[in-house]
Amino acid sequence: MKIGLLTSGGDCQALNATMRGVVKGLYANVEELEVYGFYDGYKGLIYSKYRLLTSADFSGILTKGGTILGTSRQPFKLMREPDENGLDKVAAMKSTYYKLNLDCLVILGGNGTQKTANLLREEGLNIIHLPKTIDNDIFGTDMTFGFYSAVNVATEAIDCIHTTAASHNRVFIVEVMGHKVGWLTLYAGVASGADIILLPEIPYEDKKIIQAIERRHKNGKGFTILAVAEGAISKEDAKLSKKELKKKQEKEHYPSVSYKIAEMITKETGIEARVTVPGHTQRGGSPCPYDRVLCTRLGSAAAKAIIDQKYGNMVAIINDKTELVPLEKVAGKLKSVDPNCQMIKEARRIGISFASKDD
Ligand code: F6P
C-alpha cells in the first residue's frame, strides 16, 4: 500500500499526533506500506516536493506541536487558477499522485483545506480528510483536533490577566482567535471566568458592555475581563455589507476589534482599558491530553477507513464515536456557535454578559 500525507492551512498542536495515529494504525495492519510525506501542504503535492517516511519519523511525536511536514496556506479559490509560471495546479497535484501510484492521500486541515480535498475527490483521487483547526468550525464533526489545546492556552492567558486586572482595577480585553466563529472564545471565556464574552455570532451593543461593567462596579468589583473573539462585530457593523464594512474599518484604523472596544470603554466610563492578544501562542506548544486521545482515535479510524477503502470521507467524532462523513456533504459549510445554545443560556444565567438584548 502507498499513501500520501499532507498538513495544510494554519498549524495546530495536534497534527503530528494525528499523523502518528494514522501511520501506526496502518503499519500494524498492512504488510507492505510506503508513506510519502508532502512538504508544506498542497505546495508539496503541486510541486512534487515529498519524502518517503519511515516508522521512525512517527516515533516520539505524539506530544510534539507543529507539523513535521510543514504547512502553508493555498487558498481554495486560487486552486483552479494557474500559478505565476502558468502551471495548472490541479493537474500537477493529480500528476504527483499518479506518479507515486498512491492508494490514498490523507489530508489534515481546516475548512479551506477540506474544500480542496473535496475537489481532488471530484477529480477521482482517493482522499481521507482529518478535521484540524483550533477554531472548531468544521461542519459535520462535533470536535476538531487542536481546539481543546488552544482553549487551554487562551484560558491560561485570561487566567494570568485575571490576577493583574484585580490588582489594578482596570478593564482588560483578551482577544481570542477563532476566525469567523466564537467557539474558542466561548470555551476559554467560560473556563476562565470572563465577565463579558463577545462572539461573532452575537453582535454586541456598546451600551450593554458599559452596563455590564457598571453593574460590576456597583457590586464592588473594580475590574472587568472581556474575552473578545477576533471576529466579534458590533450590532451596527453587522448590518453593513462586506464592502461597506471594509471601507469603514480602513477609515477607523484599529489594529483589531478589541482596540475599538477598549477606546469606547475608556471614553464612556473613564476606566483604563487594556488589550492583550495571545495570537499564535494559541496554536503553539504541546497538544493537551484530550487532543492526544482525539487524534489517536481519529488517526486510527482513518487507518481503518483506508484499509477498508472507504475513501472520499472526513473522519469525524460524533457523540463520542468516530464516524466517516462524506466530503461532498460537508465541504464548504461552516459550523458556527448557535446563539441560543444551552451553553450560552447557562453562561448568561450565572451573569456572563454577551452584550446583547438577551442579557
Ligand atoms: O484557522 C486558524 C487560525 O489560527 C484562526 O483562528 C486565525 O484567524 C487564523 O488562523 C490566523 O491565520 P494566520 O496564521 O495565517 O495568520
Side-chain angles (χ1 to χ4, degrees):
M1 178 186 283
K2 293 183 182 187
I3 69 149
L5 268 181
L6 66 83
T7 54
S8 168
D11 74 337
C12 77
Q13 296 88 338
L15 285 160
N16 291 325
T18 309
M19 290 193 275
R20 168 186 175 271
V22 178
V23 173
K24 275 187 178 268
L26 289 174
Y27 271 123
N29 296 286
V30 173
E31 270 185 20
E32 280 182 38
L33 179 70
E34 283 180 18
V35 180
Y36 292 89
F38 294 98
Y39 294 124
D40 302 334
Y42 287 116
K43 234 189 210 173
L45 191 63
I46 297 168
Y47 299 106
S48 223
K49 300 269 187 255
Y50 58 85
R51 181 165 74 84
L52 186 58
L53 302 166
T54 68
S55 58
D57 287 300
F58 298 94
S59 184
I61 62 167
L62 173 64
T63 60
K64 195 174 169 178
T67 159
I68 57 167
L69 296 178
T71 187
S72 66
R73 289 199 187 275
Q74 302 292 317
F76 169 72
K77 60 177 185 222
L78 299 180
M79 276 299 177
R80 290 278 185 199
E81 290 190 14
D83 77 356
E84 56 281 10
N85 299 313
L87 180 79
D88 178 335
K89 292 176 213 149
V90 176
M93 288 193 280
K94 286 166 73 177
S95 156
T96 308
Y97 179 96
Y98 289 120
K99 180 180 79 183
L100 290 172
N101 207 10
L102 297 179
D103 292 292
C104 177
L105 179 62
V106 182
I107 298 173
L108 287 73
N111 275 314
T113 300
Q114 188 192 56
K115 285 195 255 181
T116 300
N118 190 43
L119 179 157
L120 294 174
R121 178 196 65 79
E122 286 167 349
E123 289 287 326
L125 307 194
N126 295 332
I127 302 292
I128 288 291
H129 170 243
L130 285 148
K132 166 243 66 166
T133 171
I134 64 164
D135 305 335
N136 194 30
D137 59 353
I138 298 184
F139 189 84
T141 184
D142 290 348
M143 201 51 68
T144 59
F145 58 87
F147 174 67
Y148 266 112
S149 301
V151 169
N152 282 1
V153 178
T155 301
E156 261 180 44
I158 305 174
D159 285 349
C160 291
I161 289 296
H162 230 121
T163 55
T164 173
S167 322
H168 278 277
N169 283 339
R170 285 170 171 164
V171 170
F172 271 91
I173 296 176
V174 181
E175 184 171 293
V176 180
M177 272 189 173
H179 201 216
K180 293 179 183 160
V181 302
W183 294 105
L184 192 50
T185 309
L186 177 61
Y187 275 70
V190 170
S192 58
D195 308 298
I196 302 173
I197 297 178
L198 304 183
L199 311 177
E201 292 87 344
I202 307 177
Y204 65 83
E205 291 178 49
D206 286 353
K207 68 168 191 294
K208 289 283 180 183
I209 297 177
I210 302 304
Q211 275 171 14
I213 293 170
E214 284 172 350
R215 209 165 40 238
R216 279 181 61 76
H217 269 245
K218 255 193 223 144
N219 292 338
K221 303 274 188 184
F223 72 96
T224 300
I225 292 184
L226 289 88
V228 174
E230 61 178 349
I233 187 164
S234 68
K235 208 175 159 194
E236 55 277 15
D237 284 357
K239 287 182 192 142
L240 301 177
S241 69
K242 252 189 181 178
K243 210 171 149 195
E244 288 167 333
L245 181 62
K246 204 173 161 219
K247 219 169 145 192
K248 187 176 175 210
Q249 284 171 339
E250 275 165 11
K251 255 197 200 158
E252 286 175 342
H253 284 304
Y254 294 109
S256 69
V257 64
S258 299
Y259 292 89
K260 180 176 165 158
I261 296 167
E263 191 180 279
M264 181 277 293
I265 291 170
T266 305
K267 193 167 152 238
E268 293 296 321
T269 64
I271 302 170
E272 261 185 289
R274 291 278 201 265
V275 176
T276 298
V277 184
H280 288 76
T281 62
Q282 292 162 97
R283 294 205 320 230
S286 220
C288 68
Y290 175 89
D291 268 338
R292 296 179 200 182
V293 173
L294 178 65
C295 290
T296 305
R297 291 187 63 191
L298 292 176
S300 172
K304 181 164 179 349
I306 296 166
I307 292 165
D308 296 343
Q309 301 187 8
K310 292 195 172 153
Y311 306 126
N313 288 305
M314 164 175 79
V315 186
I317 188 103
I318 302 170
N319 294 330
D320 204 33
K321 288 204 163 63
T322 55
E323 285 193 27
L324 299 181
V325 179
L327 276 171
E328 62 187 332
K329 288 204 172 154
V330 291
K333 295 185 186 167
L334 192 72
K335 185 182 71 182
S336 318
V337 176
D338 172 2
N340 298 311
C341 71
Q342 216 180 24
M343 183 166 171
I344 290 187
K345 286 183 184 148
E346 287 155 355
R348 278 204 165 106
R349 195 175 299 130
I350 66 154
I352 296 175
S353 165
F354 289 85
S356 79
K357 65 171 175 27
D358 297 319
D359 279 0

